[in-house]
Amino acid sequence: MKELRAERGWSQQDLAERLDVSRQSVNAIETGKYDPSLPLAFRIAEVFAMRIEDIFLKG
Amino acid sequence: MTNRLGNPAYRRYGRRMVPLSLLYVGAIMLATRFIPDNAPADARTIGLALLPGLAILGWIWAMGRLLVELEDEYLRMLEVRKFLVATGLTLAVCSVWGLLQVFAPAVPKLPLFFVFPLWALGLFAGVLFNRLTLGGNGGA
């Protein structure tokens, strides 16, 4: 997710605002410390205009 | 949502906790002022003694509402983890101390009044636990 965000030139704060979550949430997801819920994963996929399985890896 | 202050759920939490805390302090001052040490356990004494309890019930309600109203799932998880650490520590201290009181009566009695402050201290341990395991500010 970090790479996708960087490709778009967004800061963590930018992405957080697009997802309507805190910057800490974005940071925790990017660093692998937190797995988003399915609804949040869908929002992330929508923001990047991609499929969930193309953003998140299994396991 | 930019930070804790910018989060509406935390703002509402603060707006609820401040007046409840003022009520608590005022009620404690009232009870201290008007209940003498040798007061009989009559309706007036019990009523004054229970007044601070209303504020404590309010704190618990406000904390419950925070969990319900926090829409950011990661921040909500941090809060839940803090509550769990605080609850675990409180159960551990009270249970072990209770056993000591039963089997070693010379041990000082732990007044029930201290259970909630003990739990509140446990929240700080929860923040430390979050920081150590997840980094960031731990939900402080």
Side-chain angles (χ1 to χ4, degrees), chain B residues 16-31 50-59:
Chain B
R16 288 166 182 157
M17 290 304 262
V18 169
L20 285 168
S21 301
L22 292 173
L23 171 68
Y24 178 78
V25 172
I28 287 284
M29 287 168 71
L30 264 182
L50 287 179
L51 206 52
L54 284 178
I56 293 174
L57 292 179
W59 284 338

Side-chain angles (χ1 to χ4, degrees), chain A residues 3-50:
Chain A
E3 290 80 11
L4 294 171
R5 176 175 62 76
E7 282 170 13
R8 287 157 179 77
W10 297 342
S11 65
Q12 285 188 340
Q13 186 62 46
D14 294 332
L15 180 56
E17 284 169 12
R18 283 175 161 84
L19 293 170
D20 197 24
V21 298
S22 61
R23 192 199 54 77
Q24 296 103 295
S25 302
V26 171
N27 186 57
I29 295 167
E30 283 189 355
T31 52
K33 288 173 179 158
Y34 177 70
D35 291 326
S37 67
L38 197 53
L40 179 53
F42 270 113
R43 290 215 305 275
I44 293 168
E46 201 172 76
V47 162
F48 287 121
M50 295 172 73

Side-chain angles (χ1 to χ4, degrees), chain B residues 32-91:
Chain B
T32 308
R33 172 78 178 79
F34 291 107
I35 304 178
D37 287 344
N38 57 351
D42 57 15
R44 177 181 167 275
T45 303
I46 291 172
L48 276 173
L50 287 179
L51 206 52
L54 284 178
I56 293 174
L57 292 179
W59 284 338
I60 295 169
W61 168 78
M63 288 186 280
R65 288 307 303 169
L66 175 65
L67 292 187
V68 171
E69 293 171 4
L70 254 182
E71 290 180 0
D72 187 310
E73 60 186 52
Y74 178 69
L75 296 182
R76 187 170 58 235
M77 184 198 69
L78 292 181
E79 294 298 331
V80 169
R81 285 163 57 108
K82 280 160 56 181
F83 288 10
L84 285 175
V85 169
T87 303
L89 279 176
T90 306
L91 285 173

Side-chain angles (χ1 to χ4, degrees), chain B residues 3-14:
Chain B
N3 57 32
R4 191 181 171 107
L5 289 175
N7 186 304
Y10 280 121
R11 279 204 309 271
R12 279 196 291 273
Y13 176 69

